[in-house]
Amino acid sequence: MSYLDLISSRKRKREERVFRFKIFGENGYPAEFDGSFEQNIRKLLELAHFDRNNCSRMPSWSFKLEVIRQPTLHITLFVVEEPIEASLEHHCKHCQYVGWGQNMICNRKYHFVLPSKETEAAFLNCQDGAISTKDNFNLVQLQGHLMHGIFHSNGFGHLLCVNGMEGGSNLAGRQIMEFWDRLCTGLRARKVSLNDISQKRSMELRLLHGVAFSEPWFGHWGYKFGRGSFGVTRQMHQKAIETIQGMPLCILVHYLGSSNHHIPVIFSRYQTVSDHSLVTLGDLFRFMLELKTHLPEEHCVDSHVVEPTCRWSPKRVEMATRVIVEALKKAEFKWVSRQDVRDAARAYIGDTGLLDFVLKSLGNHVVGNYLVRRCLNPVTKVLEYCLEDVSNVCPGQQGSVISNSKMKGRYKMTRPQLMKDMLYLYKCILKDQKPTMIHGVLSAIPAAARIILDTKYLVKEYNGELPWKIHHTGHGEAGKMTLCYCTVLLRDKKESNEVVRKAMPPLECIALKNKATFNELKLEVERKFRELYWGLKSFAVESIMNLNVKGTDLVSEIVEVGQKIVLEGSNAESGIINELIYEGGVNNRAVDCGCGAKEDDGERMISCDICEVWQHSRCVQIPNNQEMPPIFLCSRCEKEIMILPSMAP
């Protein structure tokens, strides 16, 4: 039993259901997600274990997830509901930084947390009373989770952290991301953002994968440019990637090779094992990352499996190896149990001791053009083998097949060696600005790398404008529902009779009985939007903007299924629009930085003590590791002071 199981068993009932981690979130598992985001959340939580947490005012639920059956590995998914009344900060800074400040504040947020061993232990100790509850302790405030994501009740969300094996997890970062992506897809989220600060051995993945594949590591799951910091635009980001990708290797060797002999050696090493020319820096990094996925984690792969103390001759071992590979080839690259492989080989090799030795030594070795893979079946607990054709791992530009000599050279390379080479090139070329790169043709690399690193906010659109697609057809039939998409326009009429209209919240699907009138539609829209948004608790619909109808008219006779309707109204209590009901709040901070930024992007800023305009500290030459000066004047105000006439008589 894992450590997580031991500490969580105290709080769990024996009959609590265990869910499969690998398919959790898919439609139909653990629930049929066929409604809006809010409806799907409620349906999911009906299957969860409710945790009576006395540490905070936020209700929480949990799911026990099976990662591996044998040996047993379970993790816990916590879902914490954060009502607006319990929130320490009404406005969402993640929405502000990614450019969603115009979204209305929702009444609820949902935190989805895969805790680490340490954070789960702290949470359960709080529940047991081992930690004082006077400080309103809760799980979402802890740092160091394996995964932490937030959903607003309108379907907009943010992925706050992913910590894979390098962060001490039993799960790889890719496994966690696939889990998160299944959740977002299954629950029918609208849009999800993240702040990409992912690293691999101190290498920024958004830079490394950007140069290699033209997209960040998170791009594998559909996350794309959302918003750049320091005034970076989408066009600037794309141009920066193309600049580094297209840098010829011969130019790098010419300018850097004389002072750094390791760089041309590394270039030559990977050109030797590649079956096509590596011309640019993008070609090289792409080839290295693709090659890495086909190398074993630690051991060098070679076709020679004879140990010095082996009692069989190399010739007999090689013959047994070929027999086993031929038996696996007949399985058509499917996984075959060790016993089945052994039985098939015994028709040609009578020495079972020799077969057992070769089968034991053969896992993750290259034989000819095939890589023999070996793993333990988690269900049957039986060793299984299969072949992977590695002759075409990186096909040539004309479809040619890599030569056997290059194949062996490639698989004699270890993954640690490859990662060491990649880190060296990353530091020497992409990250560290050597004097030879500040001027001349190579000066574009540091500037372009800085632009890529300043692009951290990524967004994936899951359902976008429509909360979920309507598949119902035909209306007017008995027992059928009329479904349409509705949104509201909040307005305010000032004393000057000027009407001020604010940005509309996303469309919501409204279901009505077939004989419902437009008066009933207005009431249902009021109920729906009051339930979702904190600033619309007293919202009253006054008119329908894009339809000329009477209140007693039947909706089903006028509105087509899936039609979009805009209703206008105002808050009944105040009659005014309060900027505080939007995620961006009242923005009294004037931003005008030399990099072009006009809004707060989450980076460190400093304001002028005279004009009170904010700028990035980096843009005014204040390093991040240096404290802010007690008095700061922007260049504009400093110049104005310099040209003022002397006050002396």
Side-chain angles (χ1 to χ4, degrees), residues 337-357:
S337 69
R338 180 186 181 279
Q339 188 61 47
D340 290 342
V341 177
R342 189 175 184 267
D343 291 343
R346 282 193 65 185
Y348 304 94
I349 305 292
D351 189 342
T352 56
L354 173 60
L355 290 177
D356 290 340
F357 170 77

Side-chain angles (χ1 to χ4, degrees), residues 4 75-78 112-121 123 139 142 144-148 169:
L4 295 183
I75 60 174
T76 307
L77 169 67
F78 287 96
F112 282 70
V113 178
L114 290 177
S116 63
K117 295 177 182 179
E118 294 75 19
T119 55
E120 183 172 14
F123 180 61
L139 181 68
L142 295 175
H145 298 304
L146 305 186
M147 186 200 80
H148 185 183
S169 168

Side-chain angles (χ1 to χ4, degrees), residues 355-419:
L355 290 177
D356 290 340
F357 170 77
V358 174
L359 285 170
K360 179 181 177 181
S361 308
L362 200 56
N364 292 334
H365 279 73
V366 171
V367 180
N369 290 332
Y370 299 97
L371 175 64
V372 182
R373 293 203 176 273
R374 179 181 63 188
C375 77
L376 182 70
N377 189 309
V379 177
T380 63
K381 309 176 192 177
V382 172
L383 274 176
E384 294 183 346
Y385 292 79
C386 80
L387 289 183
E388 179 181 340
D389 186 352
V390 293
S391 64
N392 205 25
V393 170
C394 291
Q397 293 176 336
Q398 303 300 325
S400 61
V401 178
I402 186 171
S403 66
N404 194 53
S405 61
K406 289 188 176 182
M407 171 59 59
K408 290 184 178 180
R410 176 179 305 178
Y411 280 93
K412 287 179 182 177
M413 185 179 298
T414 63
R415 180 177 287 203
Q417 177 65 50
L418 186 145
M419 292 302 297

Side-chain angles (χ1 to χ4, degrees), residues 148-218:
H148 185 183
I150 298 177
F151 290 111
H152 300 279
S153 55
N154 63 356
F156 285 80
H158 314 281
L159 179 58
L160 304 187
C161 76
V162 171
N163 290 308
M165 290 183 175
E166 289 198 358
S169 168
N170 288 321
L171 296 172
R174 182 174 294 272
Q175 290 176 289
I176 298 174
M177 274 305 302
E178 288 171 352
F179 174 76
W180 170 254
D181 195 54
R182 287 197 304 271
L183 280 177
C184 295
T185 303
L187 294 173
R188 296 185 177 175
R190 294 179 188 268
K191 293 182 181 180
V192 177
S193 76
L194 60 84
N195 184 7
D196 184 3
I197 55 174
S198 57
Q199 293 184 341
K200 185 77 170 180
R201 300 188 184 182
S202 75
M203 294 183 286
E204 302 282 354
L205 291 186
R206 63 186 181 279
L207 176 56
L208 185 62
H209 280 252
V211 172
F213 304 113
S214 302
E215 64 179 16
W217 180 73
F218 291 101

